[in-house]
Amino acid sequence: MAMAKSKKKPTVPDGPSVESLIHRLARCPREFLDAPKIGKAGKINTAAVVSDLMNDIFGKPPDRQALNAFIQVNPKDANWLNTVLATCWLLSDVWFQEKTELAASALSLLQNELNALAGVVQADALVLEPDRREELARLCLRALGLRPPGETQKTADDRLNALDSVGV
C-alpha cells in the first residue's frame, strides 16, 4: 500500500524583523544617496559598493560581468543606482553576515528586482518615508526568500501588496 505524499508547502525561513530593517534604513548615511558614478560624473561607485557588500557580507565576491550591470549605465539610471545603494546599506545589516546561501538572491535583487520600484519611487523616499522604508524592507525579504518573523507568508505578502508602489 503506497503512502500518500504530503502536499505541505515548504516553509519560508524567518529573516530579520521588518522593524529592525526599517530602523536601519532610517539611519542610511546621506552619502548613499549622493550622485552615483555614471561615466565621469557622480561620486559613488555603485559597482564597488555592490562588490564590497557581496564579498564582505555574503562572502561571495561577484564576477566582473555581474558588476557591469552597475557600470554600463546612462544618466536615466541614476535613481535605480541610488536605490541599489540604499539597498546595499540595508543588506549590510549584521543579520545577513556570512549568509552565503543568500548571495545569488541578493545579487539578483540588486541587478534586476529594484528597477520597477526605482521607476516609480525616488531613492530618497526609500530612506525618508516610513511606508517606503517598509516597502523596501519587505521587498528585500521576499526577494531573498525570507519572511518576517512572527508573520505568516500570507500576512507578509498582504502587507507588501498594501505598500506596493509599483502595482499602484
Side-chain angles (χ1 to χ4, degrees), residues 12-60:
V12 176
D14 283 353
S17 75
V18 171
E19 293 76 19
S20 70
L21 295 177
I22 290 170
H23 183 68
R24 180 166 183 79
L25 274 172
R27 295 186 338 260
C28 182
R30 181 75 200 150
E31 292 80 14
F32 279 74
L33 299 173
D34 281 347
K37 196 143 185 67
I38 299 175
K40 295 183 188 238
K43 294 180 176 182
I44 307 296
N45 184 331
T46 306
V49 173
V50 169
S51 182
D52 288 349
L53 171 77
M54 297 307 298
N55 189 48
D56 298 346
I57 298 298
F58 294 104
K60 298 274 185 172

Side-chain angles (χ1 to χ4, degrees), residues 12-13 50 53-54 58 60 62 70 84 87-88 91 95-96 99-114 139-146:
V12 176
V50 169
L53 171 77
M54 297 307 298
F58 294 104
K60 298 274 185 172
F70 309 103
V84 167
T87 304
C88 285
L91 296 178
W95 191 94
F96 297 104
K99 300 272 192 310
T100 56
E101 71 277 10
L102 299 177
S105 296
L107 188 57
S108 177
L109 166 68
L110 297 171
Q111 289 176 314
N112 307 309
E113 297 180 45
L114 297 173
L139 177 69
C140 289
L141 289 175
R142 184 184 67 193
L144 297 174
L146 301 170

Side-chain angles (χ1 to χ4, degrees), residues 100-140:
T100 56
E101 71 277 10
L102 299 177
S105 296
L107 188 57
S108 177
L109 166 68
L110 297 171
Q111 289 176 314
N112 307 309
E113 297 180 45
L114 297 173
N115 295 322
L117 182 62
V120 295
V121 176
Q122 288 300 306
D124 286 4
L126 298 171
V127 171
L128 300 174
E129 296 177 16
D131 282 351
R132 299 297 62 88
R133 286 193 299 258
E134 184 177 352
E135 179 179 11
L136 181 57
R138 288 179 177 280
L139 177 69
C140 289

